[in-house]
Amino acid sequence: MLVQAYNLMAHAFLLFLLFPYIISTNIHACKQNERSSLLSFASTLSPLNWTSIDYDCCRWNGITCDQDGWVTHLLLPSKGLKGGISPSSLANLTRLIHLNLSHNSLYGSLETQFFLSLNRLDILDLSYNCLSGELPISPLSSNIRSIDLSSNHFFGAIPSSFFQQASNLTSFNVSNNSFTGYVPSSICLQHSSPFLRLLDFSSNLFNGDLAPGLGKCSELQVFRANHNNLSGLLPEDIYNATKLEEIALPLNSLHGAISGKIVNLTNLAILDLSSNHFGGELPLNLGKLSKLKFVTLDFNNLEGVLPSSLMNCTNLVELRLGNNHLEGDISVLDFSRLSQLTKLDLRINNFTGTVPVSLYSCRFLKAIRLTGNNLEGQIQDEILSLKSLSFLSLGYNRFTNLTGAMKILMSCKSLHALLLSGSFVGEGMPSDDDMVDYVGFQNLRLLGLVRSNLTGQIPFWLSKLKNLEILALGFNQITGPIPSWLGTLPRLFYISLSHNQISGKFPQQLCRLPRLLHEPIASQGDNYEFEFPVYSSSISITANQTFLSQKLCFFPATIDLSTNNIVGDIPTEISQLHLLYTLSLDSNNFSGVIPDQISNLKNLEVLNLSMNHLSGIIPASLASLNFLKEFNVSYNNLEGSIPIGTQLQSFEVSAFEGNPKLCGAPLPKCSPNKGIDADNKNNKDVYKWLHQLPWFYIFAALGFIVGFWGVCGCLIIHKTWRYAYFRFINKVQDRLLYVMITVPLNKMDRRLRG
C-alpha cells in the first residue's frame, strides 16, 4: 500500500512538472487549415517534405507560430527549393508577417492574389530566385515594411499604384532584374512612404530622367540606381533628403554639374557617380562633407582643379577621380590630414607637379594610381613609410631614373603590383651590376614595364622574383635572347615580350613553366585581387585585345613573343603547356613546320603564327581546337588544303592569306585535278623515287662498265679481231659517204645538164 501511495505521489509530481509543457503544446498547435495550406505549398516545391514529420506544423523546419497557433513566420532561405509559388496555397496564412524564400530556384510570377491574401505581411524576401513577370497593379498592404525582389527576372514598369498604401515601407530593393520605364519617384510623394530608408533600383533597364520626388523621402539613407539607362540632370530636390548616407548612380548617362547644394547632405558617406557624363568643376566647398568615406567620380568629364577643401574630409577611405579632365599641381595639396586614406586613384587627368610628399603621411595607403598625367621627378625614399602599399601605378608620366626607383621600391615588402609602363622613356633596364645588392620584391606578383623604349637585355636579377606571376616588358628596345631561367619561375603564367628586338631561339625551358603544366590543387587556388583593376595598356596583352581585371585568376595564361627576331623551329615540347590560353609568335623568323602537337593545347583561345617562314601543311589536328577565338597563320610558306573542321573554316580569309600554295575554305577551293589526295600521292611517289635513285645510278654505271670493257677488252687482246673490226668500220664509213654524198651529187649534175 505504501508503495502504491509512493507511485501515485511520483506520478502526480511528474504531471505537475509537465503540465506547463502540455498546456504550451496545446496553445502552440497549428491550425488545421494552415497545416493543409503548408502541405499544399510544399507539394509544389522540391525537396521540401513536411508530410513525414510531426503533426504540429508549428514544429516544422522554417515555421514559427504565435501563442494562438497562427503561422507568423515562413523562413526557408537557401534550402535548394525548386518550383513555383502557388498563391492559393498561402492564402490561408492570414497571420503571416515574415516570408523569406530567398536564395532558392523558385520560378513563376507574383499574381495579384499573392499580395491581397498576405495583407498582414511585414517582411517579404524573395531575392535570388528565378521569378519573372510584371508586378501586379494592386497596391501593397499598409503593413509591409520591407520588400526584397532583387536578383530575379522581373520585367516591365513598376506601377505607381503599387505604393499607394505602403505608408510603413522602409526598404524596397528590386536590383538585378529587367524592370523598364521610369524610376518610380512617386514612392517618395508626401503621405506615401514617410519612413523609407533604402531604395535600390540598380542593374535594371530603367531609362529617362530621374523625376523629382526623392527629396520627399525625408528619412531616405540609401539611394541606388546604378547600371541603368538613366539620363538627364540629377534632380535638385535630392539635396533635400538630408539624411542620405549613400548615393550610387554609376554606369548611366546622367550629365550636368554637381551642384554646390550637395553640401546639404551632411551625413553623406558614399558618393558614387562614376561612368556618367557629369561635367563642370567640383564644388569648392565639397570639404564640408566631413563624413565622406568613399568618393568615386571617375569616367566623367569633370574639369578644373581639385578643391583644396577636399583635404578636410578626414574620414576619406577611398578617393577615385580617374578618367576626367582635372588639372593643377597636385604637389601643393596637403594629403597629410587624410589619415584614413587607403586608395587614391587620379589616373588619366592633366595633373602636373611631382608626387606629393604629404601623401607619404597616409600610413594606411594600400594603392596609389597616378597613371596618365604630366607628373615628373623621381621616386623618393619617403615612399618606404607606406608599409601597407601593395599597388603602385605611375605609368605614362615623365618620371626619370628607373634604376634608382627600382632600388627604392624593392624594399616595399607589401608591394604586389608595380606598373611603370610608359614612364622612364628611353632609359636602360636596371642591369645586374646596378642591382648587385638586390634583396627585394619578394612578394611582387605583377611587373609592368611596357612602352618605355627601354634598352638592354632581360636582367638575371628578375629570376629571384619567385612570386612573380605576370611579367610584361613589351614595346621596348630589349635585345639578346630569351633567358632560359624564365621557365624556372614557379608561379609565372603570363609573359609578354612583344615588340622588342629579342633574338635567338625559343628556349625549350620555357615549355616547362610549372604554372602552365598542371592545374593547381584546389586548396592552392589563387583568388588574389589587386586593389585596382589592371588595364591592358599596362601589360599589353595583344595589339587587338582590350582587357580589364582585378582578380589575378581572370588573367589568361599567355606567352606573347610577337614582333621580335626569334629564329628556329617552334619546339614540339610546347604541347606540354596544357593551361596555355594565348600563344602569339607572329612577326618573327620562325621556320620549319607547324608542330602537330599544338593540338594538345585544349585550352588555347588565341594562336597567332603569322608573318614567319613556316612551311609545310597546316596539321589536320588543329581542327580539333574547338575554343579558338583568334587564329592567324597568314604570310608564311604554307601549302596544301586547310583542314576541314568547323573551327578553322569560321575564321576570315585574312587569317590565311599570304600563303600562295594554301587552298580550301575560306580561301578559294583547291584545283579538282590536284586535290589534297593527289598531292599526297605525288609527294609519296617522289619521296619513293628519291630513295630509289641511288640504286638506279649504281646499276647503270655497272652496266656501262661491263659493256664497255666486254667489247673494248676483246679488241685489245685479239689482234685479228681488231683488224676485222676496223675494216668493218671503214666499209661502213665508205658506204655512208657514197649514199649520203656521191649519189645526191650525181643526181644534181644530171638535172643541171638536162
Side-chain angles (χ1 to χ4, degrees):
M1 182 68 72
L2 184 62
V3 173
Q4 290 180 350
Y6 178 79
N7 289 337
L8 183 62
M9 291 177 63
H11 282 90
F13 180 72
L14 182 62
L15 183 63
F16 173 77
L17 292 177
L18 294 178
F19 181 76
Y21 174 76
I22 296 171
I23 297 299
S24 175
T25 301
N26 289 333
I27 290 176
H28 287 84
C30 72
K31 308 296 181 182
Q32 178 59 36
N33 60 337
E34 293 200 336
R35 183 179 188 277
S36 300
S37 293
L38 289 173
L39 290 176
S40 175
F41 171 75
S43 66
T44 62
L45 301 175
S46 61
L48 188 58
N49 185 4
W50 284 326
T51 57
S52 60
I53 56 178
D54 196 335
Y55 181 83
D56 184 3
C57 66
C58 292
R59 298 177 181 273
W60 294 354
N61 181 33
I63 303 297
T64 302
C65 299
D66 62 12
Q67 292 184 352
D68 298 323
W70 297 101
V71 176
T72 58
H73 293 68
L74 175 53
L75 310 178
L76 295 171
S78 304
K79 299 296 183 181
L81 302 180
K82 297 180 180 180
I85 301 176
S86 172
S88 59
S89 64
L90 297 176
N92 291 326
L93 304 180
T94 56
R95 304 291 180 91
L96 191 67
I97 61 174
H98 191 172
L99 176 61
N100 187 345
L101 302 175
S102 63
H103 294 269
N104 286 294
S105 299
L106 306 179
Y107 55 82
S109 59
L110 296 182
E111 301 175 10
T112 301
Q113 184 183 354
F114 179 84
F115 291 99
L116 291 177
S117 59
L118 302 176
N119 55 8
R120 293 199 180 187
L121 203 60
D122 184 32
I123 300 174
L124 173 64
D125 189 351
L126 300 176
S127 60
Y128 293 92
N129 278 287
C130 302
L131 299 169
S132 59
E134 299 186 31
L135 294 183
I137 59 174
S138 59
L140 292 168
S141 165
S142 59
N143 292 312
I144 196 76
R145 289 192 304 114
S146 176
I147 296 180
D148 191 347
L149 304 178
S150 62
S151 299
N152 279 283
H153 304 300
F154 292 111
F155 55 83
I158 298 178
S160 58
S161 59
F162 197 62
F163 307 103
Q164 282 181 353
Q165 299 177 15
S167 56
N168 291 300
L169 191 64
T170 61
S171 175
F172 184 69
N173 186 354
V174 291
S175 62
N176 197 24
N177 280 283
S178 298
F179 286 111
T180 56
Y182 292 97
V183 169
S185 300
S186 59
I187 195 173
C188 287
L189 292 178
Q190 199 168 9
H191 308 304
S192 177
S193 303
F195 306 112
L196 200 59
R197 291 181 176 84
L198 182 145
L199 282 176
D200 195 342
F201 301 106
S202 56
S203 298
N204 278 283
L205 301 174
F206 291 112
N207 52 53
D209 295 354
L210 275 173
L214 292 172
K216 298 293 184 179
C217 286
S218 58
E219 300 295 319
L220 189 62
Q221 296 174 354
V222 177
F223 176 60
R224 302 181 187 133
N226 51 287
H227 205 179
N228 281 283
N229 299 315
L230 302 178
S231 56
L233 302 173
L234 203 59
E236 285 282 324
D237 74 331
I238 195 172
Y239 304 120
N240 296 331
T242 55
K243 292 190 177 181
L244 269 173
E245 298 176 4
E246 177 181 348
I247 298 177
L249 299 170
L251 293 163
N252 282 288
S253 298
L254 299 168
H255 60 85
I258 299 174
S259 173
K261 294 181 180 179
I262 196 172
V263 297
N264 295 338
L265 307 180
T266 54
N267 292 297
L268 198 63
I270 299 175
L271 176 62
D272 188 352
L273 304 177
S274 61
S275 299
N276 279 283
H277 304 301
F278 287 107
E281 298 184 359
L282 289 172
L284 293 178
N285 54 358
L286 196 61
K288 290 185 177 180
L289 300 178
S290 58
K291 294 184 179 180
L292 274 179
K293 291 184 177 181
F294 300 91
V295 176
T296 308
L297 301 175
D298 47 352
F299 293 99
N300 278 289
N301 299 313
L302 300 174
E303 54 190 29
V305 299
L306 205 59
S308 58
S309 68
L310 194 60
M311 302 300 115
N312 297 328
C313 299
T314 55
N315 289 302
L316 266 179
V317 175
E318 295 185 15
L319 177 59
R320 305 190 185 197
L321 301 172
N323 290 83
N324 280 287
H325 306 296
L326 299 170
E327 57 188 12
D329 186 350
I330 63 169
S331 59
V332 301
L333 295 174
D334 185 9
F335 286 87
S336 61
R337 299 188 63 192
L338 306 183
S339 58
Q340 305 300 316
L341 193 65
T342 62
K343 295 182 182 182
L344 175 65
D345 188 356
L346 302 179
R347 73 185 185 280
I348 312 180
N349 279 285
N350 299 311
F351 292 118
T352 57
T354 60
V355 177
V357 177
S358 61
L359 196 61
Y360 304 137
S361 300
C362 305
R363 302 306 171 112
F364 295 106
L365 262 176
K366 296 180 180 179
I368 300 174
R369 183 156 60 185
L370 303 176
T371 307
N373 283 283
N374 297 308
L375 304 179
E376 54 189 8
Q378 300 184 15
I379 307 302
Q380 303 297 320
D381 290 330
E382 287 86 350
I383 199 172
L384 297 178
S385 63
L386 303 178
K387 303 298 183 183
S388 300
L389 188 64
S390 67
F391 188 102
L392 180 62
S393 179
L394 303 175
Y396 301 98
N397 283 285
R398 297 199 298 269
F399 295 115
T400 57
N401 192 6
L402 175 60
T403 298
M406 299 298 273
K407 286 182 177 180
I408 294 172
L409 294 173
M410 71 180 184
S411 297
C412 293
K413 296 182 179 180
S414 298
L415 199 60
H416 288 163
L418 179 58
L419 298 165
L420 304 176
S421 300
S423 291
F424 308 98
V425 175
E427 298 188 19
M429 282 287 295
S431 66
D432 294 317
D433 293 336
D434 295 326
M435 308 291 283
V436 65
D437 297 325
Y438 164 83
V439 290
F441 288 134
Q442 293 306 301
N443 292 304
L444 196 65
R445 295 170 179 259
L446 186 159
L447 177 59
L449 279 168
V450 176
R451 299 178 187 273
S452 295
N453 286 324
L454 301 177
T455 59
Q457 298 189 7
I458 301 174
F460 178 75
W461 62 266
L462 291 177
S463 66
K464 300 179 182 179
L465 277 61
K466 300 303 181 183
N467 285 308
L468 193 65
E469 301 185 57
I470 298 176
L471 176 63
L473 301 176
F475 292 87
N476 286 294
Q477 302 294 325
I478 297 173
T479 58
I482 300 172
S484 59
W485 50 257
L486 272 181
T488 66
L489 293 178
R491 304 185 69 171
L492 189 64
F493 71 90
Y494 184 106
I495 303 171
S496 176
L497 304 176
S498 67
H499 293 81
N500 279 287
Q501 299 174 18
I502 295 171
S503 57
K505 295 185 176 181
F506 189 111
Q508 291 192 359
Q509 293 87 340
L510 208 58
C511 300
R512 294 193 286 270
L513 275 168
R515 275 288 298 274
L516 300 183
L517 292 177
H518 306 291
E519 290 280 359
I521 300 173
S523 60
Q524 299 176 351
D526 198 342
N527 293 319
Y528 178 81
E529 288 190 28
F530 294 114
E531 299 294 340
F532 287 132
V534 177
Y535 295 86
S536 60
S537 60
S538 299
I539 59 175
S540 181
I541 289 195
T542 57
N544 58 342
Q545 283 185 317
T546 56
F547 192 72
L548 168 66
S549 181
Q550 194 161 347
K551 283 192 174 183
L552 190 62
C553 60
F554 288 165
F555 284 82
T558 295
I559 295 179
D560 186 355
L561 308 179
S562 59
T563 316
N564 280 287
N565 300 316
I566 304 172
V567 299
D569 296 343
I570 300 173
T572 57
E573 292 83 356
I574 205 168
S575 62
Q576 299 173 158
L577 305 177
H578 297 294
L579 304 182
L580 194 63
Y581 276 70
T582 298
L583 178 61
S584 296
L585 305 179
D586 52 293
S587 301
N588 278 285
N589 294 310
F590 284 104
S591 56
V593 300
I594 299 175
D596 180 73
Q597 292 85 348
I598 287 183
S599 61
N600 293 332
L601 304 178
K602 301 301 183 183
N603 289 309
L604 206 61
E605 293 186 358
V606 177
L607 177 60
N608 194 336
L609 306 177
S610 63
M611 296 187 183
N612 280 287
H613 305 295
L614 300 173
S615 57
I617 63 172
I618 299 176
S621 59
L622 292 191
S624 65
L625 295 176
N626 297 323
F627 297 102
L628 282 178
K629 295 180 180 177
E630 293 184 27
F631 177 78
N632 199 331
V633 292
S634 63
Y635 296 99
N636 280 285
N637 300 314
L638 301 174
E639 59 186 32
S641 180
I642 297 172
I644 297 176
T646 56
Q647 186 68 30
L648 295 184
Q649 271 66 45
S650 66
F651 295 106
E652 300 290 336
V653 172
S654 58
F656 302 95
E657 64 186 6
N659 294 281
K661 297 182 181 180
L662 197 62
C663 59
L667 295 175
K669 292 183 179 180
C670 299
S671 172
N673 295 327
K674 292 185 179 180
I676 188 63
D677 294 334
D679 287 343
N680 289 339
K681 184 177 185 301
N682 291 337
N683 289 338
K684 291 179 181 178
D685 292 342
V686 171
Y687 180 78
K688 182 178 179 181
W689 177 78
L690 287 174
H691 279 270
Q692 293 176 344
L693 194 57
W695 293 108
F696 169 77
Y697 284 120
I698 291 171
F699 287 118
L702 287 174
F704 174 77
I705 293 170
V706 171
F708 178 81
W709 287 107
V711 175
C712 296
C714 293
L715 295 177
I716 293 171
I717 297 171
H718 296 280
K719 185 176 181 180
T720 56
W721 287 13
R722 186 165 62 252
Y723 288 156
Y725 173 74
F726 284 113
R727 280 198 301 270
F728 172 75
I729 292 298
N730 288 333
K731 288 181 180 180
V732 171
Q733 182 180 357
D734 292 342
R735 183 63 179 170
L736 287 174
L737 290 173
Y738 177 76
V739 172
M740 295 176 64
I741 298 175
T742 306
V743 173
L745 287 175
N746 290 335
K747 288 183 178 180
M748 186 179 297
D749 182 59
R750 284 196 298 270
R751 288 177 182 173
L752 291 173
R753 290 179 181 180

